[in-house]
Amino acid sequence: MALSLRIAQSFRAVLDCIAFITVFWWLRLYRRLRSKTNKRLLIETLEHARVFEEWEAAAYQLDYILENYLWREGLAGAFDFKLINERLRLINDALERQDVHAVIHCLRSGLVRNLGNITAPKLYNRAYSGTKHLIEEYVTKVALAVEYLTMTPPGQSHDSLSNQGKLDLLHDARQAFGRTCLVLQGGSISGLCHLGVVKALHLRGLLPRIIAGTATGALMAALVAVHTEGELLDFLSGEGIDLSAFAAASERAAAAAHVQDGQQPAHGWFSTLVRRAQRFLRYGYVLDAKVLEECVRANVGDLTFEEAYQRTKRVLNITISATGGGLPGLLNYLTAPNVLIWSAALASNSSDVRFAPTTLQCKTPDGRIVPWEIPAKAKVRQPKRPRNQTPSTDHDRNTPLSRVAELFNVNHFIISQFLAPSLYHSNSRRSSREPWSTYLKRLATMEIQHRLTQMDMLGWLSPGIKRLLLDESVPGASWTLVPHVTLMDFARLLRNPTREEINYWILRGERSVWPAVCALKIRCVIEVELDRGYQLVRRRKPFDMEPPPGTVMKASGEVRKRKRLRAASMGAG
């Protein structure tokens, strides 16, 4: 009896020990699985950062943990590091010797945006905080060389340039390098993200002077283009936007929605969804046109394209849809200088400007506002297309962005897309080893876009659906910005914009720009420095009293000729 009791106690002790060990290790494994690593914590910081400095600090720490700093210090990559290294050495030597002509030669011989393939997307998908140090140093040195030529005092030595010579040099350099256009495409209420994109670019000094907008993007582009540099930051904070029109519309809708007993009917959100869906299918836009007109006029005023350009020096381009006739598809201060901006922005939200509820308005020389005359729809016989020419060739040449490139020497586009984020991918995606699900999603996206393009070529897509699902072909290098939008965000499409909504979408837009800051700096910082130097020298030009040598010789020849004619006339008299 005692022996069996001891055996039972021993067996129980063994079971207790096994249970204790099992629970111990299970709890450790559970805590390990539930606890967040430093990498995960930093990634969450990137996703929820509210300012760029917070995002940048987390990006540097994450690159240190993942040892991406070793990749940044290395030379091997998808670019010609030998060419970049040699040109960096030449620029450094010229700047150290303060040789103006050597600096000019270095700039003229290699002033290309994608020199040595330094703008390849692969160079910006590896590290979070930047790209190769060699590329960053090279672009910085080129910008310093442009600044050195701009700030060199004129006429102090035989090597120095006059202000007119600097102006010609910077003008030719800007022409050779090209310009950047910011394209804001659609988005309904989520198009408020465009304001966040503009704010992030403005704070980093990368906001282009040429802005194009379509649909809701046209409304955002109009709001940005009418504000000067000093007014822009206060306006982009969200407090400078007048939302009284939407507040009044919400009050009217709430008053109309109440039944006689004072109770609000059920399924109000469903009726709002149906009403906006019908409006989109019929006209091509979601929000009420009258409310939009009141809001845009309250924020933009009755400024024309030409008046806005004279005030801010920003080139505003608004895309409209018009079938037939002689109406231009791109409105700016060159093609439609006297058209009111608010009317063009509202017309851009319609699938066809001829059937838009708001007529295009223009301003006469005496200040009167009258409807803009739209030519009648003409039946034009299209010429026969050669057999060896694809249907997309003519379409690519006649797109509004192609027109922008022709008018303003644009060869680089920053595209902000918010229409159908599931069908687009951002260039700023940070994943060197992507899972199979990402590749399958990308393959499915390419297949859907291909089938939609085929349907568009056959004429099976309505203009509204086409503008929603198909992106416009870009005639040049581009960088696409797409925000991270969740399913819960689509419920916000049923709400009228408020201060909280604007701040929410602005932050979403800013976060879409932060991963692309390094890539955009590499692409645009030289352009920004060339433009700044050109404007500086241009303002300084009237104080340069030293005329070019050819002008002096021509003037002296004219003086001698006048003296001979005067002497001949006196002798004849």
Side-chain angles (χ1 to χ4, degrees):
M1 187 67 181
L3 180 61
S4 60
L5 182 59
R6 290 180 182 177
I7 294 175
Q9 291 177 350
S10 300
F11 184 71
R12 182 178 180 181
V14 171
L15 290 179
D16 291 342
C17 183
I18 293 175
F20 176 79
I21 295 175
T22 303
V23 172
F24 173 79
W25 285 106
W26 171 253
L27 290 176
R28 289 200 61 178
L29 179 62
Y30 177 77
R31 294 192 189 99
R32 180 66 180 270
L33 294 176
R34 291 297 299 255
S35 63
K36 298 179 180 179
T37 61
N38 291 336
K39 176 183 175 181
R40 185 58 198 169
L41 290 173
L42 290 173
I43 291 177
E44 290 185 357
T45 303
L46 294 180
E47 295 174 352
H48 299 94
R50 302 194 65 86
V51 292
F52 176 72
E53 289 73 17
E54 181 184 359
W55 185 95
E56 188 178 28
Y60 275 108
Q61 295 180 25
L62 190 56
D63 281 338
Y64 182 79
I65 293 176
L66 299 177
E67 296 184 350
N68 287 333
Y69 67 92
L70 298 176
W71 176 84
R72 295 187 63 191
E73 294 175 356
L75 296 179
F79 74 107
D80 191 349
F81 66 91
K82 293 183 179 179
L83 174 63
I84 301 302
N85 195 25
E86 178 63 21
R87 294 196 58 82
L88 179 61
R89 184 187 64 82
L90 294 176
I91 294 177
N92 282 329
D93 292 344
L95 290 176
E96 288 178 1
R97 292 185 285 108
Q98 297 186 357
D99 190 343
V100 176
H101 293 287
V103 174
I104 293 174
H105 173 72
C106 291
L107 290 179
R108 286 188 177 276
S109 60
L111 203 58
V112 182
R113 198 184 299 269
N114 191 26
L115 181 67
N117 203 29
I118 62 176
T119 63
K122 290 183 179 180
L123 296 170
Y124 307 93
N125 291 337
R126 179 68 176 270
Y128 289 83
S129 57
T131 183
K132 299 286 187 177
H133 290 302
L134 178 62
I135 297 177
E136 296 179 357
E137 185 180 1
Y138 168 73
V139 173
T140 303
K141 283 295 181 181
V142 174
L144 288 176
V146 175
E147 183 181 6
Y148 169 75
L149 292 178
T150 302
M151 303 307 297
T152 302
Q156 290 190 357
S157 64
H158 67 282
D159 289 335
S160 61
L161 294 174
S162 63
N163 279 338
Q164 183 62 42
K166 291 181 183 180
L167 196 65
D168 296 339
L169 172 65
L170 293 172
H171 176 272
D172 295 342
R174 293 173 69 206
Q175 191 71 17
F177 195 81
R179 306 180 74 180
T180 299
C181 175
L182 175 62
V183 183
L184 310 179
Q185 293 185 347
S188 184
I189 296 179
S190 61
L192 292 169
C193 289
H194 294 313
L195 295 180
V197 171
V198 173
K199 180 180 179 180
L201 293 175
H202 178 62
L203 290 176
R204 307 272 75 79
L206 300 172
L207 181 61
R209 292 178 57 236
I210 304 174
I211 303 176
T214 304
T216 309
L219 298 173
M220 302 300 109
L223 294 176
V224 173
V226 299
H227 290 87
T228 61
E229 290 289 332
E231 302 170 347
L232 194 56
L233 190 58
D234 293 336
F235 169 75
L236 293 174
S237 63
E239 301 296 331
I241 303 178
D242 189 354
L243 298 176
S244 56
F246 287 103
S250 299
E251 293 177 359
R252 291 195 298 266
H258 281 76
V259 292
Q260 294 181 354
D261 57 355
Q263 298 294 327
Q264 194 169 0
H267 308 295
W269 64 269
F270 182 75
S271 60
T272 303
L273 177 62
V274 173
R275 184 171 63 255
R276 292 188 175 182
Q278 291 176 349
R279 190 183 297 139
F280 174 77
L281 293 177
R282 181 176 300 178
Y283 301 110
Y285 54 86
V286 176
L287 297 176
D288 189 356
K290 296 300 181 182
V291 180
L292 278 178
E293 178 179 348
E294 295 175 6
C295 180
V296 176
R297 292 193 71 173
N299 290 278
V300 177
D302 292 332
L303 286 177
T304 64
F305 284 93
E306 187 175 11
E307 291 172 348
Y309 175 73
Q310 295 295 335
R311 185 174 186 270
T312 66
K313 297 303 178 182
R314 298 190 188 277
V315 181
L316 173 63
N317 299 271
I318 292 181
T319 302
I320 60 175
S321 298
T323 57
L327 191 67
L330 182 72
L331 304 181
N332 52 44
Y333 80 98
L334 295 178
T335 61
N338 61 336
V339 172
L340 297 184
I341 293 176
W342 67 263
S343 65
L346 292 178
S348 180
N349 282 265
S350 177
S351 57
D352 194 339
V353 68
R354 301 175 187 278
F355 306 105
T358 302
T359 307
L360 284 172
Q361 304 288 328
C362 66
K363 185 181 293 186
T364 61
D366 56 355
R368 293 184 297 108
I369 298 177
V370 297
W372 198 41
E373 295 184 2
I374 300 178
K377 183 176 180 180
K379 294 183 179 179
V380 182
R381 185 177 180 182
Q382 299 293 337
K384 243 183 195 181
R385 184 184 294 111
R387 293 184 178 179
N388 58 350
Q389 185 175 347
T390 59
S392 61
T393 304
D394 292 336
H395 179 266
D396 294 342
R397 292 177 180 176
N398 298 326
T399 59
L401 293 186
S402 300
R403 185 64 173 154
V404 172
E406 294 173 357
L407 290 175
F408 305 108
N409 190 34
V410 174
N411 59 1
H412 180 247
F413 295 85
I414 303 175
I415 302 176
S416 177
Q417 289 180 337
F418 299 96
L419 286 175
S422 59
L423 295 182
Y424 302 109
H425 65 277
S426 173
N427 298 104
S428 306
R429 195 165 290 173
R430 305 283 184 180
S431 53
S432 57
R433 298 179 181 178
E434 296 177 340
W436 282 102
S437 59
T438 304
Y439 289 106
L440 293 177
K441 180 181 177 182
R442 187 174 302 172
L443 181 63
T445 298
M446 294 173 61
E447 180 66 21
I448 293 174
Q449 288 182 340
H450 176 64
R451 297 307 175 188
L452 289 174
T453 303
Q454 288 181 329
M455 295 174 63
D456 180 43
M457 293 169 58
L458 295 174
W460 292 355
L461 291 182
S462 64
I465 300 298
K466 175 182 175 182
R467 295 173 67 182
L468 178 66
L469 298 179
L470 282 181
D471 54 338
E472 186 179 348
S473 59
V474 180
S478 64
W479 190 273
T480 305
L481 303 171
V482 180
H484 176 68
V485 179
T486 62
L487 293 177
M488 296 300 296
D489 291 331
F490 289 96
R492 296 177 180 266
L493 299 178
L494 303 178
R495 310 174 189 172
N496 284 330
T498 59
R499 300 291 180 194
E500 292 75 14
E501 292 289 326
I502 289 179
N503 293 329
Y504 175 84
W505 289 114
I506 285 178
L507 183 58
R508 281 298 179 95
E510 287 185 84
R511 287 173 180 166
S512 68
V513 177
W514 293 340
V517 166
C518 176
L520 295 179
K521 280 184 178 180
I522 299 300
R523 291 166 176 248
C524 302
V525 70
I526 299 176
E527 175 189 349
V528 171
E529 189 61 35
L530 286 172
D531 186 72
R532 189 191 69 84
Y534 179 80
Q535 299 299 333
L536 181 62
V537 176
R538 187 178 182 182
R539 290 193 297 267
R540 194 191 304 161
K541 182 185 175 184
F543 301 98
D544 183 12
M545 304 304 295
E546 178 188 358
T551 307
V552 177
M553 295 177 62
K554 184 176 179 180
S556 60
E558 292 290 333
V559 171
R560 288 194 298 269
K561 184 177 179 180
R562 290 186 188 132
K563 287 183 179 180
R564 287 197 300 269
L565 290 175
R566 189 181 298 111
S569 61
M570 291 177 63

